Amino acid sequence: ALPPATVDLLPRMPRGFHGRAGELTALSRAAAGEAPVCLVTGPAGVGKTALVTHWAHRHREQFPGGLLYADLRGFSETGEPTLLEVLREFLLALGVAPRRIPESAGAASALFRSLSADRQLLVVLDNARASEQVRELLPGGARCVTVVTSRYRLRGLIASDAARPVPVDVLEPADSTALLAAVLGTERVFAEEVAARRLAELCGGLPLALRVAAARLADQPESSLSAMCGELSDESRRLSLLDVEDTGVRAALRLTVRRLPADAARQFAHLGRHPGMYVDRYAAAALADTDPATAEAALDKLAAAHLVVRAGPDRWTMHDLVRLYARGLRSGTDALLRVLDLTVATALGAADAAEPGDESCFTLPADFQQPRATREFADRAQAMAWYAVERDDLTLAATAADTAGLHGRTWRIILGMWPQIVWRVRDGWTPLLRTALEAARADGDARAESRVLALLGWVLTEEGRVDEALGHLEAAPLLAARARDTRGEATALINLSLAQAALGSPDEAAEGCALAAELAHSVGDRHTERLALCHLARHRLDAREWQAAHETALAALDLDGPSEASAAARVLLLTAVGEALLGMGDETEGIRRLENAALEAESCGYDDGAVRALGALLRVSADAGLQARYDTAMVRLMART
């Protein structure tokens, strides 16, 4: 064969291409070496073809043997070309006469490898669906470079041909704005810089979405970017606004989903019912009414198709536009209820592990749907780590339950977060607790209402809103008594005592704590009894009753072994003992107890306790090291507020 002087099947240079410096560098590195296969992967609409075409045009001089391109149409309405059709185009470009092209795909592939053996070719195989589409199209020359693009990760190609992955993600805000400016003009975009950034955010940095939005704006020169942002802010309309003619996000995603195996497609549709931003295998299983192993296998397939992104061990998320698309798919009507019940059960398990006691903070709803499997927590550390990671999604789950009118699920999810609320009391819990209070009242559950009132009142007290807290706290023990919730009544009295003390009534506060300790003791609730004694010791310290405070704190510590008492309770009790000893004149032992309390608080990240213990130490010592530790704990504490 005598090929023409220049073989060039590349599409034209993409217009308005911006950024991607990191990906272009990564592609150049992947293209180095002997017969490399570069695998450029990413979600639909992320700009894989534009990236590869731009790179190919910039490096065309490196391939004197020619530049071949084929769209394998792995995600197209028109269907995929046959292997022989693609090979025929390649062979014709390399100068093979039509009558000399073999009739079988195997022979044509062999001829292609032979002709490319001594050439320096670039072969771009765009929109591959599967590894088998690619293998027979790989050139035979050591100096040839193959670049494959796909919405799938094509792990088989990595395994069989050592393909080098080059992942492509959404654009950074600056590059998103530059893309808009390329279509709309710099002057128009930079006249509304804030709106341009917001528009990029609403498009999720997805180039396809940005180009569609820009096309709409270009067609409406009198319209502002701010107005477009207002329209796109409506989630129910966003995807339809990001479609123009035959191009758009929804169409691209539809073709991706159509290629999924049945189990992955079913799982994807159910993910649209998930109220949170992240999903684990338990939540995915609850949504699809399957088991965690099956759900995880489906999630792995979705990740390979770039429809979900692995955000950590047993943790996946979706791009905002993908989530909106999934939300519009049909799935079972019970998916939301199943995942909310999983959330209720998991939050209850976390609360029991974080603050073990004789009684859980609530019972399960009468119509509760038992999940097939639920995450288990070995100890407090695991439970608190889960709370920290899942806080935002727990809030979203409670909001979804509230919107759906599932009041019993709403207050249970929020009340199940109480160990984290106690641990991070100044983290702005009031709005969420008000939602729980309204839900408990709508549910007609006096026990739940009293417990939420007590927790809300305590949080308000800690926020310095004592007058506002008092009304909630005075109502809580009365409601608990009517509901015959002795444990809840004791807790409510303890929380009421804190507001009373803050308002200058330490004797009344002490009486309430003493009564709370008696109530808890009467039902064998050592956890609440210890808490009541802890606060009683604090009230007696405030009244400068050193001996009584010392005895009370020691009695509380003696209720449980060290392994049974929570870290926060131990820190507060050790601090109370230390302060009482200082007041009694035993400075050496008092300092030792306070130092132990401070070290324990620092080791477990209990900043409130560290501040209290170190503050007590600083009242009797001007040590610079103590001051530095106090300042560090205070900075962390203030950062959360």
Side-chain angles (χ1 to χ4, degrees):
L2 297 174
T6 302
V7 176
D8 186 354
L9 301 184
L10 288 178
R12 62 174 172 80
M13 188 78 157
R15 296 175 183 174
F17 185 88
H18 285 278
R20 300 296 194 193
E23 290 88 343
L24 290 168
T25 300
L27 183 51
S28 294
R29 289 174 179 165
E34 183 176 331
V37 178
C38 311
L39 179 57
V40 178
T41 63
V46 82
K48 301 179 292 295
T49 300
L51 171 76
V52 170
T53 306
H54 180 85
W55 180 88
H57 278 285
R58 281 180 52 182
H59 294 83
R60 61 188 310 122
E61 72 282 354
Q62 298 178 16
F63 303 102
L67 303 104
L68 302 179
Y69 173 89
D71 184 355
L72 301 183
R73 302 199 300 271
F75 306 91
S76 170
E77 298 273 18
T78 60
E80 302 170 6
T82 66
L83 175 58
L84 187 57
E85 287 173 339
V86 177
L87 287 167
R88 179 180 177 82
E89 292 298 319
F90 284 179
L91 292 172
L92 287 172
L94 293 175
V96 178
R99 61 188 178 83
R100 302 296 299 238
I101 295 176
E103 295 183 2
S104 75
S109 178
L111 178 57
F112 173 59
R113 287 193 297 273
S114 174
L115 290 175
S116 60
D118 297 323
R119 287 177 169 85
Q120 197 165 343
L121 285 172
L122 171 65
V123 179
V124 177
L125 303 174
D126 202 10
N127 292 311
R129 174 186 52 81
S131 299
E132 61 265 21
Q133 268 189 305
V134 172
R135 291 192 181 101
E136 293 301 313
L137 295 172
L138 297 178
R143 295 181 298 161
C144 294
V145 174
T146 306
V147 180
V148 181
T149 76
S150 181
R151 298 179 189 182
Y152 289 173
R153 298 192 190 280
L154 301 190
R155 295 165 181 162
L157 195 63
I158 298 173
S160 64
D161 293 274
R164 303 168 183 177
V166 180
V168 181
D169 206 345
V170 296
L171 291 172
E172 295 294 329
D175 290 333
S176 296
T177 305
L179 190 154
L180 291 172
V183 179
L184 300 174
T186 302
E187 184 177 346
R188 186 177 179 185
V189 169
F190 286 97
E192 294 186 81
E193 284 190 71
V194 174
R197 287 196 296 272
R198 176 60 179 155
L199 184 58
E201 181 183 333
L202 289 167
C203 291
L206 193 69
L208 175 60
L210 287 162
R211 290 183 182 279
V212 171
R216 285 187 176 276
L217 285 165
D219 194 43
Q220 305 168 25
E222 74 288 349
S223 182
S224 67
L225 274 68
S226 298
M228 175 63 78
C229 288
E231 294 181 44
L232 289 176
S233 294
D234 182 354
E235 290 189 347
S236 66
R237 299 181 60 210
R238 191 178 304 169
L239 284 178
S240 62
L241 289 169
L242 294 176
D243 281 339
V244 287
E245 295 185 0
D246 59 346
T247 300
V249 175
R250 195 159 43 188
L253 289 171
R254 182 175 64 251
L255 294 172
T256 303
V257 173
R258 185 178 295 175
R259 293 292 191 182
L260 290 172
D263 60 331
R266 181 175 181 274
Q267 182 68 70
F268 180 71
H270 282 89
L271 289 178
R273 305 277 79 78
H274 187 53
M277 298 297 292
Y278 296 90
V279 66
D280 62 14
R281 60 198 182 102
Y282 297 98
L287 286 163
D289 196 20
T290 184
D291 61 88
T294 301
E296 186 169 11
L299 287 167
D300 190 54
K301 294 173 185 175
L302 294 175
H306 291 94
L307 289 170
V308 301
V309 178
R310 186 180 286 272
D314 193 19
R315 191 167 170 82
W316 290 264
T317 189
M318 288 192 287
H319 186 282
D320 287 346
L321 297 178
V322 176
R323 183 178 290 105
L324 289 177
Y325 181 79
R327 198 173 292 169
L329 299 176
R330 292 183 180 180
S331 63
T333 56
D334 293 335
L336 177 62
L337 183 58
R338 286 196 300 269
V339 79
L340 289 176
D341 278 349
L342 172 77
T343 306
V344 167
T346 309
L348 185 61
D352 288 344
E355 299 288 349
D358 298 323
E359 180 192 58
S360 295
C361 56
F362 57 77
T363 58
L364 296 172
D367 59 343
F368 176 76
Q369 297 188 23
Q370 183 65 48
R372 297 198 193 183
T374 307
R375 181 182 297 277
E376 297 181 356
F377 303 94
D379 51 29
R380 174 181 171 80
Q382 279 191 9
M384 297 306 292
W386 179 81
Y387 277 127
V389 169
E390 298 294 335
R391 173 179 172 173
D392 290 343
D393 272 10
L394 287 168
T395 301
L396 289 171
T399 302
D402 191 51
T403 301
L406 298 169
H407 305 300
R409 272 72 175 179
T410 304
W411 67 256
R412 282 179 171 87
I413 291 170
I414 298 170
L415 194 57
M417 298 168 69
W418 78 266
Q420 189 187 30
I421 296 173
V422 171
W423 194 252
R424 302 293 188 212
V425 66
R426 295 182 180 88
D427 275 6
W429 299 102
T430 300
L432 191 63
L433 287 169
R434 291 195 189 283
T435 299
L437 182 59
E438 292 172 5
R441 286 171 174 167
D443 201 31
D445 193 315
R447 182 181 183 276
E449 183 181 352
S450 71
R451 294 205 170 199
V452 174
L453 279 170
L455 188 55
L456 174 58
W458 179 66
V459 169
L460 289 169
T461 301
E462 289 293 312
E463 291 178 349
R465 301 156 66 179
V466 184
D467 290 332
E468 188 179 351
L470 196 60
H472 298 311
L473 292 169
E474 288 176 337
L478 300 176
L479 266 175
R482 284 204 295 270
R484 297 185 179 180
D485 179 13
T486 304
R487 291 176 172 85
E489 184 182 359
T491 300
L493 286 168
I494 295 167
N495 293 357
L496 174 60
S497 78
L498 298 176
Q500 292 168 334
L503 292 171
S505 302
D507 292 339
E508 192 177 9
E511 289 174 8
C513 282
L515 176 57
E518 291 176 10
L519 288 170
H521 184 78
S522 71
V523 292
D525 184 357
R526 292 184 298 175
H527 174 84
T528 305
E529 183 181 0
R530 184 179 64 248
L531 183 64
L533 293 175
C534 178
H535 287 291
L536 179 57
R538 174 55 50 191
H539 297 319
R540 286 173 171 166
L541 285 172
D542 292 341
R544 303 178 69 83
E545 297 174 3
W546 312 120
Q547 185 65 41
H550 183 255
E551 292 172 358
T552 302
L554 288 178
L557 282 169
D558 287 343
L559 278 176
D560 297 308
S563 62
E564 296 177 22
S566 74
R570 276 186 51 77
V571 166
L572 295 175
L573 287 169
L574 287 171
T575 301
V577 170
E579 290 182 77
L581 288 167
L582 291 179
M584 294 162 61
D586 190 348
E587 188 169 296
T588 301
E589 182 62 15
I591 289 174
R592 187 183 73 81
R593 292 280 193 151
L594 288 170
E595 179 62 32
N596 288 342
L599 289 172
E600 188 163 342
E602 290 167 327
S603 69
C604 65
Y606 183 35
D607 297 323
D608 300 77
V611 165
R612 181 166 290 182
L614 290 166
L617 282 169
L618 285 170
R619 288 194 287 272
V620 294
S621 171
D623 182 76
L626 287 176
Q627 185 66 54
R629 290 163 62 192
Y630 176 86
D631 292 342
T632 299
M634 182 59 77
V635 166
R636 285 199 301 265
L637 189 60
M638 296 305 293
R640 296 202 313 273
T641 61

